[in-house]
Amino acid sequence: MIIAITEILDTQERIVAFTGPSGSEWGRWRGESDPVAGVYDIELEIPEPVSDWRLTSGADQISGEYSDRKVRLRGTVQSVDEEDGVVALRVDTDIVLIEAARDTSRVSIGASLEFETPDMHLYPYMV
């Protein structure tokens, strides 16, 4: 996913505000170097199991204010591994893998799923 870091919110914790194809949000920078404003290709990671989600409708979205300490993600289910409890969620052009902390049997491919998380990690990479 291509994002633009717009602000460094916390230098110690490496928290950045950024804009992307799905909205404006914040996340924890996991690059080798300190974050600076600019455009990056990143991979999103949700570090904790997701225990509360809902099936919904609407456009893909990532949004959240750092002051709320929450990020909301909405995307389309691409695959479900019920044995491992992993759901692949397409958010625009990116696939985000989430570890489900509850039964995934009601989650079907093509469904729109939304959840909130207290943390999101950003891993930059070179294309």
Side-chain angles (χ1 to χ4, degrees):
M1 175 181 292
I2 297 174
I3 66 156
I5 293 178
T6 56
E7 184 179 356
I8 311 304
L9 300 172
D10 184 324
T11 55
Q12 179 112 8
E13 294 292 321
R14 303 176 84 195
I15 306 293
V16 299
F18 66 95
T19 59
S22 300
S24 298
E25 55 274 348
W26 64 273
R28 190 174 306 273
W29 185 255
R30 293 297 192 193
E32 289 182 18
S33 60
D34 289 335
V36 295
V39 176
Y40 300 90
D41 285 307
I42 58 106
E43 181 177 318
L44 296 176
E45 179 186 271
I46 307 304
E48 298 295 324
V50 175
S51 60
D52 190 26
W53 67 76
R54 64 186 182 101
L55 299 176
T56 186
S57 62
D60 294 351
Q61 178 185 18
I62 305 174
S63 62
E65 295 292 329
Y66 182 56
S67 59
D68 295 336
R69 302 298 195 273
K70 287 189 258 186
V71 176
R72 174 177 289 130
L73 279 88
R74 182 186 314 135
T76 305
V77 176
Q78 297 298 294
S79 67
V80 179
D81 183 336
E82 289 185 34
E83 186 175 310
D84 292 335
V86 174
V87 176
L89 192 65
R90 177 173 297 284
V91 180
D92 284 316
T93 60
D94 204 32
I95 297 292
V96 179
L97 299 178
I98 59 173
E99 183 182 341
R102 69 177 209 201
D103 182 22
T104 58
S105 63
R106 294 187 349 211
V107 178
S108 59
I109 294 172
S112 183
L113 188 136
E114 181 177 288
F115 65 94
E116 289 184 343
T117 180
D119 202 6
M120 182 168 61
H121 294 183
L122 312 174
Y123 290 90
Y125 63 88
M126 299 293 247
V127 181

